[in-house]
Amino acid sequence: MKAVVYDQYGGPEVLRITDVEKPIPGDGDILVKINAASINSADVRLMRADPFLARLNNGLTKPKKRILGLDIAGTVEAVGPGVTLHAVSDAVFGDTFQDDLGGFAEYVCVNEKSVAKMPSDLSFEQAAAIPLAGITALQAVRDAAVIQPGQAVLIQGAGGGVGTYVVQIAKAYGATVTAVCGPNSRELVASLGADRILDYTVQDFTREEARYDVIFGINGYHSLPEYRNSLKPAGIYVMVGGKNKQIFDALLFGRFRFMFGRKRVVMLTVDDSKRQQDLTELCALLAADQLKPVIDRTFPIDDAVNAFRYVEEGHVRGKVILTIATA
Ligand SMILES: NC(=O)c1ccc[n+]([C@@H]2O[C@H](COP(=O)([O-])OP(=O)(O)OC[C@H]3O[C@@H](n4cnc5c(N)ncnc54)[C@H](OP(=O)(O)O)[C@@H]3O)[C@@H](O)[C@H]2O)c1
């Protein structure tokens, strides 16, 4: 089967399209024929081993898991022993987070619990745009921030893969949303329901009077004291991602900086045990027209190098999709 393989860490030039052996499903696994996959920041971080600590899980000198790709949508081609949730020909979507990755290929084997049935009104491209970014956003809004109707929320990095879902889910949970994005994402973020939009190239929310119940740090960078100052007295800063400096600041100094007073910092780590429940909740939001996947660009799998280059430019609006098989 065709796959995007990498044998050394580095930029998109380390990716190559080659033939590898088609996997065989083991106990509890299904073999999925992949129609579409989406690129996540995690794929880029794994490809580059950035931060360096990423090597602890995937090989110190070269990658053990040679095929990247977390988010997939496709059809069940075969089922292994003991599979009860899915049958051959089911259209499914999900992620390979708990498996061995491998979504940038014609086929992948995943545990049957890694995927859910695909809503019939979604294309494979739309479905592949949802899993990791959608689940991250849902857990950030529902579990980390526990958003209540009427709360004032600021989302820094609103235009990207995770951010476009956080905007929509925060609105669905009844928040008033201030979205921070660049000039090219402005129109998109407005169309997703943001109440107020700040262009980070000319406006700095940390210098404004406004205070927020919740700030989601998804992309870009501000210091912890700046986030803290922009919160209301019992506000929560949810650190989802962003520049390495943002992540390390929160990990190293987060608890210390938020030690006094009622303000809190929560460092989001996706809880993978909720995947089935989360995909179901995301499907319900889709069905209620409160959520839609945003696709910026679609590349054929043979053009994976350019797809990664585009993602690495850092201004993706929503998600970038790799198309693998036609339906
Ligand atoms: N905690 C977790 O479990 C978890 C799970 C998934 C992802 N993450 C992390 O979440 C982060 C976001 O992932 P993603 O997939 O959404 O990334 P992405 O799609 O690549 O994000 C690109 C977006 O970042 C925006 N951006 C760039 N510089 C910005 C700035 N200075 N201020 C505000 N926005 C800026 C860009 O908006 P403009 O074009 O408008 O500039 C673009 O829309 C990553 O760090 C990822 O590692 C964490």
Side-chain angles (χ1 to χ4, degrees), residues 41 45 136 157 159-162 182 185 200 218-220 240-242 268 270 314-316:
S41 302
R45 288 182 187 278
T136 303
V162 176
S185 305
Y200 64 77
I218 302 171
N219 263 309
V240 179
L268 184 79
V270 168
H315 296 287
V316 166

Side-chain angles (χ1 to χ4, degrees), residues 39-45 50 70 97 132-137 139-140 155-165 179-186 188-189 198-201 205 217-222 227 238-244 246-247 267-271 296 310-320:
I39 302 178
N40 282 287
S41 302
D43 293 305
V44 175
R45 288 182 187 278
D50 174 29
L70 286 150
F97 197 72
L132 184 61
I135 289 173
T136 303
Q139 292 191 7
I155 300 163
Q156 191 191 22
V162 176
T164 48
Y165 287 115
V180 182
C181 63
N184 294 333
S185 305
R186 205 183 170 97
L188 165 68
V189 169
L198 301 178
D199 173 350
Y200 64 77
T201 62
F205 73 89
I218 302 171
N219 263 309
Y221 174 75
H222 278 288
Y227 287 121
V238 180
M239 203 289 299
V240 179
K243 300 213 184 309
N244 282 344
Q246 178 153 330
I247 296 167
M267 280 155 278
L268 184 79
T269 313
V270 168
D271 177 353
D296 180 339
Y310 181 64
V311 170
E312 286 209 302
E313 285 170 17
H315 296 287
V316 166
R317 280 167 291 176
K319 300 286 297 180
V320 168

Side-chain angles (χ1 to χ4, degrees), residues 54-131:
R55 294 177 189 236
L56 291 182
N57 274 335
N58 198 27
L60 277 183
T61 54
K62 58 180 189 172
K64 282 190 258 180
K65 296 173 185 172
R66 299 170 63 225
I67 307 174
L68 295 167
L70 286 150
D71 287 341
I72 56 162
T75 45
V76 178
E77 175 95 354
V79 298
V83 167
T84 55
L85 298 176
H86 305 291
V88 170
S89 300
D90 281 356
V92 293
F93 75 129
D95 70 71
T96 64
F97 197 72
Q98 289 288 76
D99 303 284
D100 277 338
L101 313 181
F104 301 150
E106 286 178 306
Y107 297 89
V108 70
C109 276
V110 291
N111 185 279
E112 62 169 340
K113 291 187 182 146
S114 296
V115 296
K117 301 251 183 309
M118 218 176 91
S120 57
D121 52 350
L122 286 188
S123 66
F124 286 110
E125 288 80 7
Q126 288 173 314
I130 295 172

Side-chain angles (χ1 to χ4, degrees), residues 143-325:
D143 306 336
V146 196
I147 294 281
Q148 304 298 317
Q151 283 193 317
V153 162
L154 180 131
I155 300 163
Q156 191 191 22
V162 176
T164 48
Y165 287 115
V166 175
V167 171
Q168 297 179 80
I169 298 171
K171 284 301 297 175
Y173 274 65
T176 301
V177 169
T178 299
V180 182
C181 63
N184 294 333
S185 305
R186 205 183 170 97
E187 213 171 295
L188 165 68
V189 169
S191 76
L192 300 177
D195 299 282
R196 187 165 162 256
I197 298 167
L198 301 178
D199 173 350
Y200 64 77
T201 62
V202 289
Q203 289 161 293
D204 181 351
F205 73 89
T206 64
R207 295 181 190 282
E208 293 192 330
E209 295 283 306
R211 295 291 180 267
Y212 300 91
D213 295 294
V214 179
I215 296 177
F216 294 99
I218 302 171
N219 263 309
Y221 174 75
H222 278 288
S223 70
L224 282 175
E226 286 173 319
Y227 287 121
R228 198 176 188 285
N229 283 343
S230 295
L231 288 172
K232 290 183 182 175
I236 305 174
Y237 165 49
V238 180
M239 203 289 299
V240 179
K243 300 213 184 309
N244 282 344
K245 190 167 168 37
Q246 178 153 330
I247 296 167
F248 285 122
D249 269 5
L251 284 172
L252 295 174
F253 307 114
R255 304 226 180 279
F256 170 70
R257 289 279 186 201
F258 284 76
M259 207 156 62
F260 302 106
R262 289 185 295 141
K263 296 181 186 182
R264 284 195 297 128
V265 56
V266 180
M267 280 155 278
L268 184 79
T269 313
V270 168
D271 177 353
D272 215 45
S273 66
K274 296 181 181 166
R275 193 204 279 106
Q276 287 281 324
Q277 171 200 336
D278 289 348
L279 287 174
T280 305
E281 188 163 340
L282 290 169
C283 289
L285 290 169
L286 287 160
D289 275 337
Q290 290 180 302
L291 191 71
K292 62 175 180 195
V294 177
I295 294 177
D296 180 339
R297 284 183 67 176
T298 300
F299 293 80
I301 186 173
D302 292 334
D303 208 11
V305 170
N306 283 325
F308 269 78
R309 286 196 176 119
Y310 181 64
V311 170
E312 286 209 302
E313 285 170 17
H315 296 287
V316 166
R317 280 167 291 176
K319 300 286 297 180
V320 168
I321 304 294
L322 287 185
T323 49
I324 297 167

